[in-house]
Amino acid sequence: MSNSKPLSPPDIIKLFDFFDSDTPKALGWSHRYLAGKGIQLSNPAISSQQVKIELATYLSARTVQPGEIKQLARAMGDAWRVRKHRQSKGISTVSLSLAKATADKLTSMSKGTTKSETISMLIEGGYSDFLRHQAALQKHKEEQKQIAKIKRQRDNIDKLRLMTASKSEDRSDEISQLIALNEELKIQMAELYDLIFNSNEQDRAIDEKTLLRATKLYFACFNK
C-alpha cells in the first residue's frame, strides 16, 4: 500500500470542480459515467455539488489512493469537456452495435476519414431519398384509408337498399289493403254526400230509410 497522504473530502471535491452543471441531463450523465467506473452513488443527485460531495465521501470511505482519485478526476474531466464541446457544436454521441460484416465495411469505407464522418456522409446523402420514401408511404396510407372509407360507404348504401327493398316487399300486401280501403271510403263518402245533397235539392225531410242509410255510411267512413 502506498504511503501517500490521503486526500481530504474538500481536496477531492476541488479535483472535480470542473463538473459545474445542475441540469437533469448533466446529473444523469455524471451518474452513468461513475457507474461505468464501478462507482454507484446512493441517491439521485439534485445538484452538481451533491454529486461531488457524495463522490468524495465514497472515495474517502474506501481509502482510494490519491493517484487513483486524480486519475479518475482527469478522465472524468476530459469526458466532461468533450461532452460540452459536442453540445456547443451541436454534436450528439450515438452508440451503435453493428454486425461484424457491416462494421468491417464501415472500416473499409472510412479509410482516409473517420467513421463518424463516413456515417454522417451516408446519412446526409441518403436523407432526401429517405424523406421521399416516407412521403410516398404516407401518401399510400392515405390513399388506402380513402379507398377503405369509400368501400364502407358503398357497403352501407347496399345494406340500406336491401333493407328498403325488404321492407317494401313485406308491406306490399298492407299497402294494397290500404289502397282498396281508401277506394271503398271514397265510394261511401260520395254516396253519403249524394244522399244529403239530393235531400237538400228536393227540399224534403230525410225519411227514416235515408237517415238510417246515411248514419250507416257515416259510421262506416269514420270507423275505418
Side-chain angles (χ1 to χ4, degrees):
M1 179 179 292
S2 172
N3 293 322
S4 300
K5 182 180 178 181
L7 294 173
S8 66
D11 290 334
I12 296 174
I13 291 173
K14 189 174 181 180
L15 288 173
F16 292 88
D17 271 348
F18 59 82
F19 184 57
D20 54 1
S21 176
D22 294 329
T23 66
K25 286 186 177 181
L27 298 175
W29 175 88
S30 68
H31 274 255
R32 291 191 298 274
Y33 182 88
L34 293 171
K37 301 297 181 181
I39 301 173
Q40 296 286 348
L41 300 183
S42 58
N43 298 310
I46 60 173
S47 69
S48 57
Q49 188 64 20
Q50 183 185 346
V51 171
K52 289 181 278 191
I53 291 172
E54 287 198 25
L55 178 58
T57 302
Y58 179 96
L59 296 172
S60 296
R62 287 159 179 76
T63 61
V64 179
Q65 294 300 309
E68 295 178 29
I69 295 175
K70 291 176 181 178
Q71 177 59 34
L72 173 64
R74 282 194 294 271
M76 186 174 180
D78 289 342
W80 176 247
R81 282 185 285 275
V82 169
R83 180 181 185 274
K84 290 179 73 173
H85 174 72
R86 286 175 172 169
Q87 285 186 326
S88 67
K89 297 293 184 180
I91 299 172
S92 299
T93 301
V94 178
S95 178
L96 296 174
S97 296
L98 300 175
K100 186 177 183 306
T102 304
D104 290 342
K105 291 176 183 177
L106 178 60
T107 300
S108 177
M109 294 170 68
S110 302
K111 288 180 180 179
T113 183
T114 65
K115 291 180 179 178
S116 294
E117 289 173 337
T118 301
I119 292 173
S120 295
M121 281 193 306
L122 291 171
I123 292 174
E124 290 298 329
Y127 193 63
S128 296
D129 291 337
F130 168 77
L131 290 179
R132 282 194 293 271
H133 178 67
Q134 289 296 104
L137 282 178
Q138 185 62 31
K139 182 179 179 181
H140 179 69
K141 287 181 180 178
E142 293 298 329
E143 288 174 349
Q144 292 301 311
K145 285 183 180 179
Q146 191 65 22
I147 290 172
K149 181 179 179 181
I150 292 172
K151 185 177 182 303
R152 287 195 300 271
Q153 290 175 341
R154 286 179 177 174
D155 290 343
N156 289 336
I157 291 172
D158 289 341
K159 288 179 182 178
L160 184 60
R161 285 174 177 170
L162 289 173
M163 291 174 61
T164 303
S166 177
K167 288 182 178 179
S168 296
E169 291 176 0
D170 292 342
R171 299 189 62 186
S172 60
D173 292 342
E174 181 181 350
I175 292 172
S176 298
Q177 291 176 1
L178 288 173
I179 292 173
L181 186 61
N182 185 57
E183 291 298 322
E184 183 181 351
L185 181 61
K186 286 180 182 179
I187 294 171
Q188 291 174 339
M189 288 290 287
E191 187 178 349
L192 177 60
Y193 175 80
D194 286 342
L195 287 173
I196 296 171
F197 179 79
N198 291 332
S199 295
N200 185 60
E201 280 292 312
Q202 295 173 10
D203 193 22
R204 61 183 177 80
I206 300 175
D207 57 29
E208 291 184 2
K209 183 178 179 182
T210 301
L211 179 60
L212 181 60
R213 177 59 183 162
T215 302
K216 287 182 178 180
L217 286 172
Y218 174 84
F219 283 106
C221 290
F222 289 95
N223 283 333
K224 291 189 184 292

